[in-house]
Amino acid sequence: MAVIIVQAGESINAAIASASPGDTIRVAKGVFHENVVVPSGKDRLRILGAGQGKTILDGAPVAGVQGFQVFSDFVTIAGFSVINFDSNGILLFNNDNIIRDVEVRNNGNNGILIESGAERNVLYMIRAENNGDGVEVIGDHNYIVRNELTGNNRNGMDLSGNNNLVLENRIRVNSSNGILVSGGTLQMIVYNKIENNGDDGIDIESDENLILGNIANRNASDGIDLSGFMHNLVWNNEVKNNNEDGIDVDGGDRNRIIGNQVSKSEETGIELDNDSDQNLVDRNKVKGSGGPGILLTSDANDNAVRENKLGGNNPNLQADPPADANNVFDENG
């Protein structure tokens, strides 16, 4: 295997063309004005810059719309700033790639897009700022771990594939949602810190997802919003200081809201509304809400609300008739 050095003023694409699968390309400090394409047949290639802010792939004077496009498997890209492209900073079409220690900034569509059919890719230690979405994932079985997605013009992250892991990211000050699950199932959204976003902290618009151990703080709308979908597990999250509801089950059925700590919601702590049926709301701690701690509107049926600890809400528990008779309320206090 060879190590190919690209100096400032030379071409990254030319180095890729001359490389064999498994080679390493080291790109020196400098600004490179290219649309870089890793074509098929270049599996296991490593493309390593000198670090964020040092090796810069800049789309400002380039006619194309993408920064990196990857059509091979097991490719590693690290140590770049990818800025000012018309569409995506990095676009992945294939499988098992690793993107790490990269900054994506000021790109018109997404900082990073994992396309449909692209699986098992890893995004690690990415900083995505002032893009459309920070990260969009349409593919399945991908891993988005320990990234910072801040100040993007739509969502911090948009997930519409299946079985993706979103772990220990910091997602803040994005114009719309921190995390939008716009499709797919079985997303695992675990231990993220989601703060000061312009809409919901986490907006779930699909079935069968896990939302575990996240902090949703000071978002402009709900901390966690389940909009008309089923079989989601919202478990052991800390949801606080949000400008509307802490957790809103808005027309969803058969979801489980278990063991969350919800505090200082401007409106309701936990709300089941718009014909939300057969949900479990168990063992949550809800305090200091501007409105009810737990609210079931009149069209909520066959829900179980049990063993929740409530304090300092206005009131602690409210069920609008006939919800007061059509649901189970046990051991709350």
Side-chain angles (χ1 to χ4, degrees):
M1 299 295 105
V3 177
I4 302 168
I5 306 298
V6 180
Q7 299 291 352
E10 297 179 344
S11 169
I12 301 171
N13 280 314
I16 293 170
S18 68
S20 298
D23 282 355
T24 294
I25 298 171
R26 289 196 174 271
V27 185
K29 290 192 286 188
V31 179
F32 296 80
H33 299 295
E34 297 184 69
N35 308 118
V36 177
V37 178
V38 182
S40 61
K42 300 290 183 177
D43 293 353
R44 302 180 303 285
L45 207 63
R46 289 197 309 165
I47 307 173
L48 306 179
Q52 297 179 28
K54 297 178 180 178
T55 304
I56 300 169
L57 190 65
D58 188 350
V62 182
V65 295
Q66 319 289 351
F68 282 98
Q69 296 181 78
V70 180
F71 295 90
S72 285
D73 299 334
F74 294 98
V75 173
T76 297
I77 297 171
F80 286 86
S81 290
V82 184
I83 64 174
N84 298 329
F85 285 90
D86 289 344
S87 186
N88 302 295
I90 300 175
L91 179 55
L92 302 179
F93 291 96
N94 275 57
N95 307 318
D96 303 298
N97 298 293
I98 299 172
I99 312 299
R100 60 172 175 83
D101 302 300
V102 166
E103 175 190 31
V104 284
R105 177 167 48 86
N106 300 342
N107 298 291
N109 189 20
N110 300 294
I112 299 177
L113 171 59
I114 302 178
E115 265 289 9
S116 177
E119 299 190 353
R120 298 179 303 278
N121 295 286
V122 174
L123 306 184
Y124 179 70
M125 298 295 287
I126 306 298
R127 180 175 175 83
E129 183 175 3
N130 197 35
N131 306 283
D133 291 331
V135 170
E136 182 177 2
V137 181
I138 306 175
D140 303 335
H141 308 291
N142 297 285
Y143 310 94
I144 301 94
V145 180
R146 292 189 179 178
N147 305 290
E148 184 165 349
L149 313 179
T150 183
N152 294 286
N153 298 314
R154 296 194 301 264
N155 305 290
M157 187 181 306
D158 183 351
L159 304 172
S160 58
N162 301 290
N163 292 97
N164 295 292
L165 173 65
V166 179
L167 174 66
E168 292 184 356
N169 301 279
R170 188 179 184 194
I171 304 174
R172 60 190 182 91
V173 201
N174 299 286
S175 295
S176 188
N177 302 290
I179 298 174
L180 171 63
V181 179
S182 59
T185 61
L186 300 173
Q187 317 288 5
M188 292 169 285
I189 300 170
V190 182
Y191 297 127
N192 301 283
K193 191 172 186 178
I194 305 160
E195 299 180 299
N196 295 107
N197 296 286
D199 196 351
D200 298 323
I202 303 173
D203 185 357
I204 304 296
E205 299 181 2
S206 72
D207 300 331
E208 299 179 355
N209 302 290
L210 171 65
I211 303 96
L212 170 66
N214 303 282
I215 297 172
N217 181 36
R218 298 189 184 280
N219 298 287
S221 295
D222 301 327
I224 300 173
D225 184 17
L226 307 178
S227 301
F229 292 91
M230 302 173 63
H231 299 298
N232 293 287
L233 174 57
V234 181
W235 181 20
N236 198 32
N237 300 280
E238 183 178 353
V239 184
K240 56 187 180 180
N241 302 309
N242 295 286
N243 285 354
E244 294 185 4
D245 300 332
I247 300 173
D248 186 6
V249 182
D250 184 6
D253 300 337
R254 299 193 175 209
N255 299 288
R256 289 169 290 172
I257 315 300
I258 309 293
N260 301 282
Q261 297 185 48
V262 183
S263 63
K264 298 183 179 178
S265 304
E266 188 73 18
E267 297 181 5
T268 304
I270 299 174
E271 181 168 345
L272 277 62
D273 58 359
N274 287 333
D275 200 24
S276 295
D277 301 331
Q278 298 182 327
N279 299 284
L280 298 183
V281 181
D282 286 357
R283 297 180 62 83
N284 302 282
K285 296 179 180 178
V286 186
K287 63 181 182 180
S289 305
I294 297 177
L295 170 63
L296 278 68
T297 59
S298 59
D299 50 4
N301 296 286
D302 300 317
N303 300 285
V305 179
R306 301 172 299 198
E307 208 174 341
N308 298 283
K309 294 184 178 180
L310 309 171
N313 305 288
N314 187 33
N316 282 327
L317 179 60
Q318 178 178 328
D320 297 335
D324 54 345
N326 292 346
N327 299 276
V328 173
F329 302 94
D330 285 339
E331 300 183 299
N332 300 292

